[in-house]
């Protein structure tokens, strides 16, 4: 494609300011893989340890005896590292900026000193309600500061949190509560997103019918909209605002082993039933804080905004744990990018003078689709660096982000990682890495990616294959909660001795990595293997197309045909002429082999609640096998599926 080879060089001012320039990247990377023991032994010291570790790395990917331990005899506390240790140096610095859903509601600035008090009080409320070290606590909260307080409070007393995104239904919540047997659930009266109220407490009450393990529900007052129902279950419900007043404002952090669990988090469910990913204390925090500092080149005083929800791993590592461990100012946004209109992100950037902005391709594509007029009235001059995570970013969207949002001044870090990896594994470092639109570029320190062919051979040089990681890094998940066998089978059985990511990937002549999507999303058309992402990028590059999802379907002659679901830009009309035009466009962009067989215009695509396109559902519809769509509990809007089935192209 036209833009794929363009190189965006590191600007001089970025290079000068950065912690890591190119020679430093190469020498540190070399050290990190030559002698991980020494490298991580050194970098582990970025945290405060109650008992320093003497052992650094004790890991094995050998099937089936996979075992991962980092800093295994070290003792520390995550909340002490994220809060208490900053009290001496920056007590009055803002730790969290909270921007509410409604722009008219005042924002909050919470200092480290205030954060300390809030976390201690929350921890004491948990203790008073019987939570002990090693217990699991389910958190079902909107994006309010209490979500961060609750996470850090759990970490403070050694409880394992499991956050369930507040957009999930009562049934999904019940399943996750039961899976990790939480006796305590933390929720709010209501959430607020895009001006709409979300009945969180009511959902918890419904979930409790299917989750009898729950003994206490701690309810934070947020909207104040449900007053009488705050105590619908006497003896179970705890009014947090009252409980908070009744406890002390100090709470000693529990001494935790580096390998004690910190949290459980369920994956997005793009490819099947979500997995309860377990992360532990020491390695996770070392990795989250180090990637936050270097990938985002975070310097003291910067304002950092990650737009994810704390219900996803991105929110765990880059709203709460990484930034706070680094003494950063982190912005937490309650709302959505489109409310009150598609200018909101940029208005918030201007309002709080955000320097580093990290979001997902789904948001970038949606805002691009809404039109440039929503960008034009805003300044964005505080921005220095942009980031992307969650899906491959199409070059078209990358360029729009780079040109329109960053005004060609801000490098983009396209960060590839997974819930399982705890932190970013492949990404540019802004002061070190020249950029190519759509490439996640190079591995972070200690990360050894490799590409495999279907027969289990490692591919050298420029190649396309399945992405594996050859050795452990500190932020890696340790197990699937309660199902170690599923952990071993899912990640270590396909290629023995290696961590299999499930993603397909291409490496170019500069050793840059390009994630092509899920391995399942590779299609074979007349003997040519191609990633569906490539066809999608071509479609999105058309001026009338806002989003596209491409899947294969059985085709008599070609083996697999190319089925495209296309969402048009605001104000564009679908027509047969446009179908012909798009087909021609893709042939010109990629070649005749990629010519779409079917194009279905779709007002909406099925997405997970974290905004990822669920291609497995689209595949079923394209295959005319829509009676069994698999696990759809993580779909954001199940309604779009009916429309897609109704308008499928096979009937024609
Ligand atoms: P499940 O594992 O339940 O199917 P999921 O894989 O969507 O869900 P996450 O852990 O949230 O759950 O997402 C990780 C995946 O997201 C990666 O494996 C990759 O496919 C995709 N991804 C994340 N960041 C990027 C990126 N920068 N470029 C390309 N793909 C990305
Ligand atoms: Mg996954």
């Amino acid at each position: 494609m036209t833009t794929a080879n363009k190189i965006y060089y590191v600007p001089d001012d970025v290079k000068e300011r950065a912690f890591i320039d190119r020679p430093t990247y190469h020498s540190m990377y070399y050290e990190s893989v030559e002698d991980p023991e020494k490298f991580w032994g050194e970098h582990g010291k970025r945290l405060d340890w109650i008992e320093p570790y003497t052992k650094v790395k004790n890991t094995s990917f050998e099937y089936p005896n996979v075992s991962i331990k980092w800093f295994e005899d070290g003792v520390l506390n995550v909340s002490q590292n994220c809060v208490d240790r900053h009290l001496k140096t920056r007590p009055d610095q803002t730790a969290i900026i909270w921007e509410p859903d409604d722009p008219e509601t005042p924002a909050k600035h919470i200092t480290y000193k205030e954060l300390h008090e809030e976390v201690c009080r929350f921890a004491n409320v948990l203790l008073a309600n019987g939570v002990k070290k090693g217990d699991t606590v389910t958190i079902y909260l909107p994006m309010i500061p209490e979500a961060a307080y609750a996470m850090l409070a759990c970490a403070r007393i050694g409880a394992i949190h499991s956050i369930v995104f507040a957009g999930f239904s009562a049934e999904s919540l019940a399943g996750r509560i039961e899976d990790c047997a939480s006796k305590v659930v933390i929720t709010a009266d209501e959430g607020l997103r895009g001006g709409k109220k979300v009945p969180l407490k009511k959902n918890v009450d419904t979930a409790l019918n299917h989750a009898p393990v729950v003994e206490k529900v701690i309810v934070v007052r947020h909207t104040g909209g449900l007053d009488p129902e705050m105590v619908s279950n006497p003896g179970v419900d705890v009014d947090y605002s009252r409980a908070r007043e009744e406890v002390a404002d100090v709470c000693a952090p529990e001494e935790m082993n580096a390998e004690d669990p910190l949290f459980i988090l369920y994956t997005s469910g793009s490819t099947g039933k979500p997995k309860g990913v377990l992360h532990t204390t020491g390695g996770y925090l070392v990795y989250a804080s180090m990637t936050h500092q270097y990938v985002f080149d975070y310097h003291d005083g910067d304002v950092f905004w990650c737009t994810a929800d704390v219900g996803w791993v991105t929110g765990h590592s880059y709203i709460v744990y990484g930034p706070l461990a680094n003494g950063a100012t982190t912005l937490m946004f309650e709302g959505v990018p489109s409310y009150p209109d598609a200018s909101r992100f940029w208005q918030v950037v201007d309002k709080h003078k955000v320097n580093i902005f990290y979001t997902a391709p789904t948001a970038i594509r949606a805002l691009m689709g809404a039109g440039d007029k929503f960008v034009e009235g805003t300044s964005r001059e505080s921005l220095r660096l942009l980031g992307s995570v969650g899906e491959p970013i199409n070059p078209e969207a990358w360029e729009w982000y780079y040109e329109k949002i960053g005004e060609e001044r801000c490098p983009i870090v396209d960060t590839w990682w997974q819930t399982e990896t705890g932190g970013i594994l492949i990404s540019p470092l802004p002061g070190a890495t020249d950029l190519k639109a759509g490439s996640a570029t190079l591995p972070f320190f200690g990360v050894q990616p490799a590409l495999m062919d279907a027969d289990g051979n490692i591919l050298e040089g420029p190649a396309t294959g399945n992405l594996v990681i050859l050795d452990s890094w500190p932020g890696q998940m340790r197990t699937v909660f309660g199902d170690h066998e599923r952990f071993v089978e899912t990640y270590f059985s396909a290629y023995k001795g290696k961590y299999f990511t499930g993603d397909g990937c291409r490496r170019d002549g500069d050793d840059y990595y390009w994630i092509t999507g899920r391995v399942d999303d590779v299609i074979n058309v007349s003997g040519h293997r191609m990633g569906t992402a490539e066809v999608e990028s071509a479609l999105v590059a058309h001026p009338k197309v806002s989003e596209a999802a491409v899947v294969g379907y059985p085709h008599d002659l070609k083996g697999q045909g190319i089925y495209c679901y296309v969402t048009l830009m605001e104000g564009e009309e679908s027509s047969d002429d446009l179908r012909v035009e798009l087909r021609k466009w893709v042939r010109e962009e990629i070649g005749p082999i990629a010519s779409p067989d079917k194009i279905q215009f779709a007002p909406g695509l099925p997405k997970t609640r974290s905004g990822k396109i669920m291609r497995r559902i689209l595949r079923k519809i394209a295959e005319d096998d829509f009676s069994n769509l698999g696990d759809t509990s993580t779909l954001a809007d199940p309604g779009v599926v009916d429309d897609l089935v109704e308008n499928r192209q096979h009937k024609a």
Side-chain angles (χ1 to χ4, degrees):
M1 242 168 296
T2 44
T3 55
N5 298 318
K6 180 161 175 199
I7 294 177
Y8 299 78
Y9 296 100
V10 177
D12 284 339
D13 57 322
V14 174
K15 197 183 302 173
E16 267 152 41
R17 188 174 198 274
F19 289 109
I20 311 281
D21 62 10
R22 188 163 333 182
T24 315
Y25 168 71
H26 286 292
S27 63
M28 276 176 76
Y29 182 76
Y30 181 80
E31 275 172 47
S32 74
V33 298
E34 273 307 292
D35 194 348
E37 190 79 27
K38 175 160 174 274
F39 182 87
W40 291 111
E42 203 48 53
H43 288 282
K45 292 182 196 150
R46 60 186 295 113
L47 301 184
D48 279 3
W49 296 81
I50 300 166
E51 284 290 338
Y53 47 85
T54 64
K55 298 180 191 148
V56 175
K57 182 175 188 282
N58 178 5
T59 66
S60 166
F61 282 5
E62 276 324 303
Y63 181 85
N65 303 311
V66 178
S67 158
I68 296 151
K69 291 187 179 133
W70 285 89
F71 311 108
E72 63 186 295
D73 59 351
V75 175
L76 75 167
N77 182 282
V78 165
S79 97
Q80 193 278 331
N81 272 281
C82 291
V83 187
D84 305 42
R85 72 163 165 160
H86 306 309
L87 292 180
K88 271 198 238 85
T89 47
R90 53 183 94 235
D92 300 318
Q93 182 201 304
T94 300
I96 299 175
I97 300 173
W98 179 70
E99 171 67 22
D101 183 61
D102 181 349
E104 302 299 317
T105 306
K108 285 183 187 162
H109 290 77
I110 298 125
T111 65
Y112 273 96
K113 206 163 64 194
E114 290 163 339
L115 180 62
H116 179 258
E117 175 177 344
E118 294 294 344
V119 170
C120 286
R121 285 191 187 273
F122 218 121
N124 285 328
V125 170
L126 293 176
L127 289 170
N129 283 283
V131 179
K132 292 187 300 294
K133 179 174 177 173
D135 287 353
T136 56
V137 171
T138 295
I139 299 178
Y140 183 64
L141 282 174
M143 286 288 286
I144 54 178
E146 284 79 3
Y149 306 159
M151 293 165 78
L152 291 163
C154 287
R156 196 163 189 90
I157 65 172
I160 308 164
H161 60 71
S162 163
I163 304 190
V164 178
F165 173 51
F168 277 124
S169 65
E171 293 73 41
S172 302
L173 172 64
R176 285 164 175 75
I177 292 172
E178 283 289 287
D179 190 73
C180 68
S182 291
K183 284 184 286 195
V184 171
V185 175
I186 303 170
T187 191
D189 46 7
E190 293 172 317
L192 212 49
R193 268 168 75 81
K196 293 194 199 75
K197 289 185 169 172
V198 188
L200 297 178
K201 173 61 168 58
K202 239 171 102 198
N203 288 349
V204 172
D205 288 346
T206 310
L208 255 48
N209 298 329
H210 311 280
V213 300
V214 177
E215 292 168 8
K216 293 283 177 193
V217 176
I218 297 172
V219 191
V220 174
R221 277 174 204 270
H222 177 40
T223 64
L226 274 188
D227 250 3
E229 282 184 55
M230 288 292 286
V231 282
S232 46
N233 307 309
V236 175
D237 292 347
V238 176
D239 178 348
Y240 180 71
S241 50
R242 192 171 311 152
R244 183 189 170 283
E245 297 301 321
E246 290 164 0
V247 294
D249 61 3
V250 288
C251 171
E254 189 72 37
E255 299 194 353
M256 304 300 289
N257 180 271
E259 282 301 335
D260 282 336
L262 177 63
F263 65 83
I264 298 163
L265 182 62
Y266 294 85
T267 56
S268 306
S270 305
T271 55
K273 184 176 178 284
K275 299 166 277 272
V277 166
L278 184 88
H279 282 287
T280 58
T281 299
Y284 170 79
L285 196 63
V286 168
Y287 199 77
S289 69
M290 188 161 161
T291 47
H292 173 260
Q293 181 185 348
Y294 292 144
V295 173
F296 300 106
D297 197 40
Y298 185 88
H299 290 258
D300 262 357
D302 287 344
V303 175
F304 178 82
W305 181 14
C306 163
T307 71
D309 192 281
V310 290
W312 313 119
V313 73
T314 309
H316 284 61
S317 300
Y318 301 113
I319 294 177
V320 178
Y321 290 122
L324 295 179
N326 292 338
T329 298
T330 180
L331 193 148
M332 191 175 191
F333 176 43
E334 186 186 19
V336 296
S338 55
Y339 179 81
D341 64 37
S343 284
R344 187 67 190 279
F345 271 0
W346 324 125
Q347 287 164 354
V348 174
V349 164
D350 288 347
K351 177 171 173 188
H352 297 294
K353 307 271 179 293
V354 172
N355 306 114
I356 306 163
F357 177 78
Y358 188 32
T359 195
T362 181
I364 299 168
R365 288 190 302 257
L367 295 175
M368 184 171 83
D372 291 353
K373 66 173 190 287
F374 293 105
V375 183
E376 276 149 17
T378 63
S379 148
R380 290 157 285 105
E381 69 181 356
S382 58
L383 287 176
R384 216 184 56 236
L385 182 70
L386 303 171
S388 170
V389 61
E391 288 181 291
I393 176 164
N394 333 79
E396 182 78 4
W398 194 101
E399 274 157 16
W400 183 83
Y401 197 29
Y402 185 77
E403 283 161 19
K404 286 284 168 342
I405 303 308
E407 296 178 338
E408 305 184 19
R409 175 183 78 239
C410 308
I412 298 179
V413 289
D414 175 5
T415 64
W416 175 83
W417 59 299
Q418 309 177 299
T419 310
E420 293 89 334
T421 69
I424 294 161
L425 293 200
I426 303 183
S427 169
L429 300 185
T433 319
D434 296 333
L435 308 174
K436 297 182 194 180
S439 172
T441 75
L442 299 171
F444 192 72
F445 305 125
V447 175
Q448 299 182 54
L451 303 180
M452 311 290 294
D453 69 13
D455 305 323
N457 305 305
I458 292 193
L459 301 166
E460 303 291 343
T464 300
N466 294 346
L467 179 65
V468 299
I469 311 292
L470 299 177
D471 198 3
S472 185
W473 63 97
Q476 185 171 23
M477 75 184 282
R478 304 302 195 249
T479 191
V480 171
F481 185 75
D483 195 349
H484 194 66
E485 200 185 325
R486 187 170 178 207
F487 174 61
V488 174
E489 291 304 322
T490 307
Y491 305 104
F492 300 93
S493 68
Y495 300 108
K496 301 287 184 305
K498 299 172 182 70
Y499 171 79
F500 177 43
T501 64
D503 285 340
C505 186
R506 178 165 72 81
R507 187 175 46 224
D508 71 15
D510 294 323
D511 284 338
Y512 274 30
Y513 289 86
W514 301 72
I515 309 297
T516 53
R518 317 287 170 158
V519 166
D520 304 348
D521 295 337
V522 171
I523 51 180
N524 195 325
V525 182
S526 310
H528 297 271
R529 286 168 62 79
M530 71 180 98
T532 52
E534 203 180 346
V535 185
E536 289 167 8
S537 287
L539 285 164
V540 173
H542 188 282
K544 291 183 183 163
V545 175
S546 153
E547 277 210 287
V550 171
V551 297
Y553 71 98
H555 189 287
D556 290 345
L557 299 174
K558 304 181 181 179
Q560 273 186 306
I562 300 178
Y563 195 115
C564 308
Y565 298 85
V566 170
T567 305
L568 296 177
M569 293 277 187
E570 205 63 48
E572 297 295 344
E573 296 279 337
S574 62
S575 67
D576 281 338
D577 285 350
L578 184 54
R579 268 203 190 88
V580 173
E581 187 180 323
L582 290 177
R583 217 168 260 140
K584 186 161 160 264
W585 173 270
V586 174
R587 290 169 72 95
E588 279 165 11
E589 289 274 308
I590 308 178
I593 186 68
S595 181
D597 294 282
K598 310 261 181 190
I599 296 177
Q600 175 170 350
F601 293 108
L605 296 171
K607 293 190 182 170
T608 64
R609 284 168 204 264
S610 51
K612 300 179 193 215
I613 298 169
M614 271 208 217
R615 291 183 188 69
R616 64 184 162 88
I617 289 179
L618 296 173
R619 214 177 293 132
K620 292 267 184 192
I621 296 171
E623 287 166 0
D624 247 354
D625 175 22
F626 43 85
S627 53
N628 174 21
L629 294 175
D631 186 341
T632 53
S633 67
T634 61
L635 264 181
D637 175 11
V640 303
V641 174
D642 297 336
D643 174 83
L644 291 168
V645 169
E646 182 59 34
N647 293 304
R648 67 191 189 281
Q649 291 297 297
H650 284 303
K651 294 183 302 182

